Amino acid sequence: MKITWLGHSAFLIEGKDRVLVDPYLTGNPKASTTADKVGCDIICVTHGHGDHLGDTVEIARRNGATVVAILEMSNFLERTGVRSVGFNLGGTAKIRNTEITMVPAFHSSSIGAPGLEFSAAMPVGLIISSGKVVYHAGDTCVFGDMRLIGDMYKPDVALLPIGGFFTMDPKQAAMATKLIRPKIVVPMHYGTWPPIEVDPKEFERLVKKSSPKTKTVLLKPGESMEV
Ligand code: ZN
């Protein structure tokens, strides 16, 4: 499996299928590609905020990709003409050769349009099984049931926000890593704007101390890793 960080929380996960997560590219100062270039079969969206929903509709239309989102957001996306599978926490959808399970994330979720902002149901984390198992935590604080996520899904890779302010900071994310026990952890959702400017090396140091069996991989936007 090849995992490419496209900046912020956007990843392209190429296992049995090409799965794009939280494709915020347009307007993302750290994006490594543009919405008209990225190719994918499936798009997973963790929640409605603009820096996660991003270019989902445009990319789904161009690629004929299936979108995965929590039910209420999925219903909204279907009205834009994209094919979307909506389900809920604890549920698993099999799309092509990939299984996607929704797990909790503690955050908020809304969809904003000019002069209008409405609730987009709950934010979620995602377990993406497409050869290897990847846990994309979405935006969240640390919570004790991350241990359960580790027990049940045994992620090969955890993608965790570390930027603080809107999500976990490096210290909380290191605690999350200890609870999840992935083989590899990759930090995300940092360095995009000043409020979430943190040093990923601090996260790496903390993980080394508290989870010596987990390897931290620091990617730069546009960089890939093989798992
Ligand atoms: Zn958010």
Side-chain angles (χ1 to χ4, degrees):
M1 174 184 276
K2 183 179 173 190
I3 299 177
T4 307
W5 191 31
L6 307 180
H8 204 55
S9 294
F11 284 85
L12 182 63
I13 300 167
E14 296 171 271
K16 292 179 179 173
D17 299 295
R18 296 171 302 165
V19 183
L20 180 66
V21 187
D22 284 359
Y24 165 53
L25 303 172
T26 303
N28 175 355
K30 295 290 163 75
S32 66
T33 186
T34 52
D36 59 338
K37 289 204 181 82
V38 60
C40 61
D41 307 303
I42 300 165
I43 304 176
C44 297
V45 187
T46 61
H47 63 292
H49 291 155
D51 58 325
H52 296 263
L53 181 59
D55 301 295
T56 294
V57 171
E58 183 196 331
I59 296 170
R61 279 188 188 142
R62 189 172 50 75
N63 285 276
T66 302
V67 180
V68 168
I70 200 158
L71 185 65
E72 291 79 0
M73 196 156 71
S74 174
N75 290 342
F76 165 78
L77 288 168
E78 283 208 311
R79 273 185 252 135
T80 69
V82 304
R83 184 170 58 241
S84 183
V85 176
F87 53 112
N88 222 311
L89 293 175
T92 298
K94 184 162 189 217
I95 296 158
R96 297 168 67 111
N97 296 302
T98 299
E99 288 191 353
I100 299 151
T101 302
M102 281 184 189
V103 295
F106 286 80
H107 191 64
S108 61
S109 181
S110 61
I111 295 176
L116 176 74
E117 178 134 16
F118 54 95
S119 168
M122 288 175 74
V124 300
L126 299 160
I127 305 291
I128 299 161
S129 303
S130 192
K132 302 279 182 177
V133 179
V134 178
Y135 169 37
H136 188 298
D139 277 2
T140 187
C141 58
V142 64
F143 53 94
D145 283 351
M146 284 177 166
R147 178 179 293 283
L148 196 57
I149 291 171
D151 285 344
M152 287 201 68
Y153 304 106
K154 300 183 172 43
D156 295 294
V157 181
L159 311 173
L160 302 183
I162 68 159
F165 201 70
F166 301 111
T167 68
M168 301 191 276
D169 60 14
K171 201 173 159 192
Q172 290 179 50
M175 174 56 78
T177 306
K178 193 175 168 186
L179 295 168
I180 301 158
R181 291 152 285 139
K183 293 190 186 86
I184 296 169
V185 66
V186 181
M188 62 175 181
H189 209 276
Y190 69 93
T192 319
W193 315 285
I196 59 171
E197 210 73 71
V198 298
D199 181 5
K201 293 241 164 63
E202 187 200 343
F203 171 68
E204 187 178 30
R205 266 194 304 278
L206 293 167
V207 169
K208 208 172 211 173
K209 219 190 279 173
S210 55
S211 304
K213 287 185 182 160
T214 298
K215 184 181 167 199
T216 304
V217 175
L218 303 181
L219 296 174
K220 291 197 177 77
E223 283 184 347
S224 301
M225 59 185 265
E226 286 288 341
V227 184

